[in-house]
Amino acid sequence: MNEFDKNKDNENGEKEFETEKDTLNSADFSESREEGSSYEANDINKPEEKVEEQEVKAEGQEFTSEYPQTASYNRADELVRDYERVMSDGTDERVAAEKQIHENKTMTAAATADQQPAGKRGKERPSSGNPKWKGFFSLLAAGVVGSALTFVAIPHTDLLDGKYTKLEQQVEDLSSKVSSNSSSGDIKAQTTSATASESSSSSIADMVETSSKAIVGIVNVQKQATNQFSQSTTTDSEVESGSGSGIIFKKDDKYAYIATNNHVIEGANSLEISLYNGDKTEGKLIGADALTDLAVVRIDAKYATDVIEFGDSSTLRPGDQVWAIGNPLGLDLSRTVTQGIVSAVDRSITVNTSAGDWEFNVIQTDAAINPGNSGGALINAAGQVIGINSLKISEDGVEGLGFAIPSNDLLPIVNEIIESGEVERPYIGVGLASLEEVPQMYLQDLPDSVTKGVMVTNIDSNSAAAKAGLEVQDVIVSINGTDLDGSSDLRKYLYTKVDIGDKVKLVVYHDGSKKTVELTLTSNSGSSN
């Protein structure tokens, strides 16, 4: 028999019960009329019996309704609401709510037992052996059994998604917490996961520690002639001329390659490399480029435990966090870390190098950079090298002005040094000086209108300039129609606008006379221009 048929039988049973009840009430009413008014008065004075009959009827309707499982759903909703109150109220209120939940469960479990008194009260009327009452008791029994089965079965199904089990477990947990808190008035700290700031600080320290393993110290050792005891004989001794930093950026089966500044290794007779683990080894200079102030040194691969990678310096913006790692003031303070931000990008600073003036494109930062930091790494938050620390402005009252060569600018240079040992550039074959650097006595033959340009200070006899007829003290004012303000402008044009083998036209003043000279560019990385 399906649920619908059961409900239909319940409805028929209810109707049969109502009909029989009306018949009995009519019979009782007739009998009471025959007994007289004294019975009626006595009946009026018994209100408790009527209230009891109303309660029996209400309980019978609850368990014999058309959908008996509704009561269980209502009970579940009550349990959910009680649990929500437990979670939101304070300690005392949670205890009260827990008691209410227990009482609700007790009332629900007692619902079935409450039907037995109703049955007994029904037996005060005609005997159950009367056929008229058989349908009533069958209906009542079916309602009680159906409600009980529904109440017991639903918690074991997925209709309520295991709410009964979850509620019971959560109530038990809450009870244990309440008892725990009540037993001790102290609030104890709980061990939790690291906060965002702690996690960030930890990741920075990890990043710095990993990056530092690829930072080395470089000692420039040079031979120096000494006169012992003021005698005429002299001896050469090796002394430490200076120190700086470097980064291990490449490693193969035989060698590890270190990038640094040219001014760190310039003039060295030997190089001593100090590693992260304290080991020291000799470094061999592969090549250097004085104009860009870059150099590459190699060591045996077995000494290099870590390699650091380069990042994309073009993605930098003012305000980005950066860290400088190096050896300020020597190896005693090796792998010092300073923190700052990118103050500016694409700064242009003219630097007087051993190869002449050169306009550097640099990253400006307020991270502390001191003597000994040169050649060290400027790294981003990902632990990538985005620049090599090279310069700082050290004047009274000036702070936080450090500069680094961008990684995108230095990578082509160091790779070319590894491949060929030098940087190959177009070469004219002349030494240059800006007019503002030349004493006025050498400019007497120039027209008054010529105020800018570069003067030829020397000529390579085998160069293209010598073949084209250039002479010392000639003044070059333009190249391929581009005016020149100084020597750095000529170098910049040669190294960025033309290639080896190209022909260029120079406008030159010779003994006050203007002329045009055409020559073909050659290659010689050891040139002075």
Side-chain angles (χ1 to χ4, degrees):
M1 180 181 292
N2 56 33
E3 188 68 23
F4 176 77
D5 293 335
K6 290 180 180 180
N7 293 334
K8 186 173 181 181
D9 289 344
N10 290 340
E11 291 179 0
N12 293 336
E14 287 181 350
K15 291 179 180 179
E16 181 182 355
F17 170 69
E18 294 293 336
T19 303
E20 293 179 359
K21 188 175 74 170
D22 292 340
T23 303
L24 291 173
N25 287 341
S26 298
D28 291 341
F29 179 72
S30 300
E31 292 175 2
S32 63
R33 287 181 61 117
E34 293 175 359
E35 291 178 2
S37 59
S38 62
Y39 178 83
E40 292 179 0
N42 189 26
D43 190 32
I44 291 174
N45 293 328
K46 295 181 180 179
E48 296 179 358
E49 195 173 23
K50 290 184 178 182
V51 172
E52 186 178 6
E53 289 178 0
Q54 291 175 1
E55 292 175 351
V56 171
K57 182 179 178 181
E59 292 172 340
Q61 289 176 348
E62 177 181 355
F63 286 94
T64 58
S65 61
E66 186 177 41
Y67 298 102
Q69 62 270 32
T70 303
S72 297
Y73 282 110
N74 293 335
R75 293 299 183 190
D77 291 337
E78 290 178 7
L79 289 174
V80 173
R81 287 194 295 272
D82 289 341
Y83 175 70
E84 291 176 348
R85 286 198 301 273
V86 171
M87 293 303 292
S88 61
D89 294 342
T91 302
D92 295 337
E93 295 177 352
R94 287 198 294 270
V95 174
E98 183 183 353
K99 290 181 179 180
Q100 184 62 37
I101 292 173
H102 179 71
E103 292 174 2
N104 288 342
K105 289 183 177 181
T106 303
M107 291 174 62
T108 302
T112 304
D114 290 343
Q115 304 308 308
Q116 186 63 26
K120 290 182 179 180
R121 285 193 293 271
K123 289 181 181 180
E124 292 176 0
R125 297 186 178 183
S127 173
S128 59
N130 193 330
K132 295 181 179 181
W133 290 96
K134 289 183 178 180
F136 166 70
F137 287 115
S138 298
L139 177 63
L140 184 61
V144 172
V145 173
S147 298
L149 288 175
T150 301
F151 181 75
V152 173
I154 284 180
H156 299 285
T157 66
D158 59 353
L159 292 176
L160 299 179
D161 296 329
K163 288 185 178 179
Y164 288 103
T165 303
K166 292 180 181 178
L167 283 173
E168 290 175 356
Q169 182 62 40
Q170 290 168 345
V171 167
E172 290 178 3
D173 294 342
L174 181 58
S175 299
S176 63
K177 289 182 180 178
V178 170
S179 61
S180 171
N181 290 335
S182 62
S183 63
S184 174
D186 296 335
I187 299 176
K188 297 181 180 180
Q190 300 294 324
T191 303
T192 60
S193 59
T195 62
S197 60
E198 291 172 344
S199 176
S200 175
S201 176
S202 176
S203 63
I204 291 173
D206 292 341
M207 176 270 293
V208 169
E209 181 179 2
T210 300
S211 301
S212 297
K213 295 178 181 179
I215 307 301
V216 301
I218 301 176
V219 176
N220 185 325
V221 179
Q222 298 182 4
K223 289 182 179 181
Q224 185 175 17
T226 59
N227 190 341
Q228 295 180 348
F229 307 110
S230 300
Q231 296 178 0
S232 58
T233 59
T234 60
T235 59
D236 292 336
S237 61
E238 292 188 342
V239 297
E240 179 180 328
S241 176
S243 65
S245 307
I247 60 173
I248 303 175
F249 70 98
K250 185 177 180 180
K251 179 181 177 181
D252 56 30
D253 294 338
K254 295 181 63 177
Y255 303 111
Y257 300 90
I258 301 169
T260 186
N261 287 131
N262 175 73
H263 71 262
V264 171
I265 55 84
E266 195 167 30
N269 294 109
S270 63
L271 297 171
E272 182 182 86
I273 309 299
S274 176
L275 300 162
Y276 178 79
N277 58 8
D279 290 344
K280 293 183 179 181
T281 186
E282 183 177 358
K284 178 177 177 56
L285 180 64
I286 295 177
D289 183 47
L291 198 64
T292 58
D293 196 23
L294 292 171
V296 178
V297 178
R298 78 183 186 199
I299 59 175
D300 194 296
K302 68 181 181 181
Y303 293 102
T305 59
D306 293 83
V307 175
I308 194 168
E309 65 178 11
F310 284 99
D312 184 1
S313 59
S314 66
T315 63
L316 290 177
R317 298 183 301 169
D320 284 345
Q321 277 193 312
V322 290
W323 292 262
I325 307 178
N327 307 301
L329 307 180
L331 299 182
D332 291 339
L333 301 176
S334 61
R335 280 163 284 280
T336 293
V337 181
T338 57
Q339 182 181 17
I341 62 169
V342 174
S343 302
V345 295
D346 297 327
R347 290 291 198 206
S348 294
I349 296 180
T350 300
V351 179
N352 189 335
T353 71
S354 59
D357 291 343
W358 181 246
E359 187 177 89
F360 281 75
N361 173 54
V362 292
I363 301 166
Q364 180 181 334
T365 179
D366 66 348
I369 296 176
N370 296 289
N373 274 119
S374 292
L378 187 68
I379 62 177
N380 59 17
Q384 300 170 323
V385 177
I386 45 85
I388 287 185
N389 303 316
S390 301
L391 311 165
K392 70 170 295 184
I393 295 178
S394 55
E395 296 179 1
D396 292 340
V398 177
E399 294 182 1
L401 289 179
F403 303 94
I405 302 173
S407 58
N408 289 9
D409 291 351
L410 67 90
L411 267 176
I413 303 298
V414 296
N415 286 332
E416 186 173 355
I417 291 175
I418 292 175
E419 293 174 2
S420 60
E422 59 185 10
V423 177
E424 191 175 29
R425 295 190 178 96
Y427 174 58
I428 293 177
V430 295
L432 303 173
S434 299
L435 289 185
E436 59 188 18
E437 300 172 346
V438 178
Q440 188 62 33
M441 59 180 295
Y442 295 103
L443 303 176
Q444 294 177 357
D445 295 335
L446 278 179
D448 295 337
S449 59
V450 179
T451 58
K452 295 181 180 181
V454 293
M455 176 173 285
V456 177
T457 57
N458 60 72
I459 298 177
D460 184 351
S461 58
N462 296 320
S463 67
K467 295 177 181 179
L470 286 179
E471 298 180 13
V472 175
Q473 294 187 14
D474 283 353
V475 176
I476 305 172
V477 295
S478 70
I479 179 171
N480 286 347
T482 299
D483 293 338
L484 304 175
D485 291 338
S487 58
S488 61
D489 289 341
L490 178 57
R491 293 190 183 96
K492 187 174 182 179
Y493 187 92
L494 288 174
Y495 302 155
T496 61
K497 302 296 184 181
V498 291
D499 296 321
I500 297 171
D502 290 348
K503 290 184 178 182
V504 296
K505 290 183 178 181
L506 305 176
V507 175
V508 180
Y509 280 91
H510 177 73
D511 291 337
S513 300
K514 183 179 181 179
K515 66 178 182 178
T516 299
V517 176
E518 185 176 287
L519 53 85
T520 300
L521 300 175
T522 59
S523 172
N524 188 340
S525 61
S527 67
S528 59
N529 54 273

